[in-house]
Amino acid sequence: KKIANFVNIFDNPDGKLKLHKIKTPVVGGVVLALNFLIIFFYQIFFLKNFLSLNINNFHNLELFSLLILIYGYFFLGLYDDKYKLNPLKRLILSILVILIAIFFNKNLLITNLSLSFYENKIFLNNFSIAFTIFCILILTNSLNFYDGINGQSCFIFIYFFTYLLLRSDFNLFYLICIILILIVMLQNLKNMLFLGDGGVYLMSIILSISLIYEHNIHKSIIYADEIFFLLLLPGLDLLRLTISRSLDKKNPFIGDRQHIHHLFINKFSLLFSNISLFFMSILPLFLFVFLNLSFFVVFFVFLVFYIFSIRYLKSGIKS
């Protein structure tokens, strides 16, 4: 309550897009950011590491760039929560923050890709900066689009960091992320707070950095396919909404209640909706990694499943 009163960011129900019952503080991101600040301080000065990295192995400018990127993105989201930034300004500021971080830290650049269905590495060369910015923007914006019902974003971030935890031979930092998200999720499910853009942006950028470093430095993620399937559900929903709004001559950045989570909550309970979305998120990576199906089979199967799910959710069938 003290944090909420100090930050003074609340989400008021409007009976249209926002159907919650009471004014709710949007301080989930602030709670996470303060906890991460303590963790980062302890990591840097006592453990001599940062995120999942040994800081003895890289330059101070690299550490500075990562802090700029993480907290630059967080404050951008927090400012948007409070003052509702114009989408174009938010996009430009996002790109600027990423560019500053990349300028000081070449390890953030995605310079090459490996695909499961293509033998040779794809070297991006002069396109690496543009491609890196594109990937980070797609990840952060698709997850921001995906946020909408209590617990939903927390569930999917738990899934992401559990995947990284398993991929990285149980790196302690990813376990800490899961614990912090669980704590915030319990408060969110009790309607004590919302994660907000600040929270989603914070966790999205930490996820982006972690995925890039797991690929570039630790080599624990080999194929880009894995990351593609990891983020397939929010990515497809972002694509569907962008296309449908454009066809209806609406601004793609103006919200509505056609997101997949809204369609679920209109038909089912909050618990069932969250569990269903969680398992939908897991499905493509499960098919690809554990059942070892080919990229094109997995993509086709999940695309068909997604399309039929949307059609069903929009139908008049009652649960």
Side-chain angles (χ1 to χ4, degrees), residues 35 142 169 262:
N35 277 279
S142 63
D169 295 325
H262 291 134

Side-chain angles (χ1 to χ4, degrees), residues 66-196:
L66 295 175
L67 287 169
I68 285 275
L69 187 54
I70 291 169
Y71 282 95
Y73 244 85
F74 162 67
F75 282 113
L76 178 61
L78 189 67
Y79 188 88
D80 190 36
D81 283 327
K82 193 170 181 68
Y83 298 109
K84 303 304 174 189
L85 263 175
N86 176 283
L88 182 59
K89 288 182 180 177
R90 186 174 62 211
L91 179 65
I92 292 170
L93 288 170
S94 300
I95 293 171
L96 184 61
V97 172
I98 299 168
L99 276 172
I100 292 170
I102 288 173
F103 178 78
F104 291 112
N105 183 2
K106 301 307 177 189
N107 281 329
L108 280 171
L109 279 175
I110 303 169
T111 57
N112 62 81
L113 297 172
S114 294
L115 301 170
S116 62
F117 53 86
Y118 187 67
E119 290 183 3
N120 302 317
K121 270 190 176 183
I122 301 171
F123 291 94
L124 299 170
N125 300 319
N126 294 332
F127 296 100
S128 59
I129 293 177
F131 185 76
T132 301
I133 293 171
F134 172 77
C135 288
I136 293 174
L137 288 176
I138 287 294
L139 187 150
T140 53
N141 282 285
S142 63
L143 291 177
N144 200 32
F145 261 64
Y146 188 72
D147 181 47
I149 60 174
N150 284 0
Q152 178 192 359
S153 285
C154 292
F155 267 115
I156 201 167
F157 278 120
I158 288 170
Y159 160 51
F160 293 150
F161 286 104
T162 300
Y163 163 79
L164 286 170
L165 181 70
L166 297 173
R167 268 295 186 202
S168 64
D169 295 325
F170 292 88
N171 185 284
L172 179 60
F173 175 73
Y174 300 136
L175 181 59
I176 291 170
C177 288
I178 293 166
I179 293 169
L180 286 179
I181 296 165
L182 273 170
I183 293 168
V184 171
M185 183 176 75
L186 291 174
Q187 296 170 319
N188 180 221
L189 290 172
K190 292 178 182 178
N191 285 310
M192 293 171 64
L193 56 77
F194 289 156
L195 202 56

Side-chain angles (χ1 to χ4, degrees), residues 7-51:
V7 176
N8 194 28
I9 305 177
F10 294 89
D11 198 333
N12 295 295
D14 60 10
K16 297 176 182 177
L17 293 179
K18 303 172 182 182
L19 302 182
H20 50 281
K21 303 297 183 184
I22 59 172
K23 182 173 79 170
T24 305
V26 188
V27 293
V30 179
V31 171
L32 287 169
L34 290 173
N35 277 279
F36 275 116
L37 194 62
I38 296 167
I39 291 163
F40 292 156
F41 180 86
Y42 182 73
Q43 277 193 307
I44 293 166
F45 292 101
F46 293 95
L47 301 181
K48 301 299 179 185
N49 61 35
F50 182 70
L51 301 179

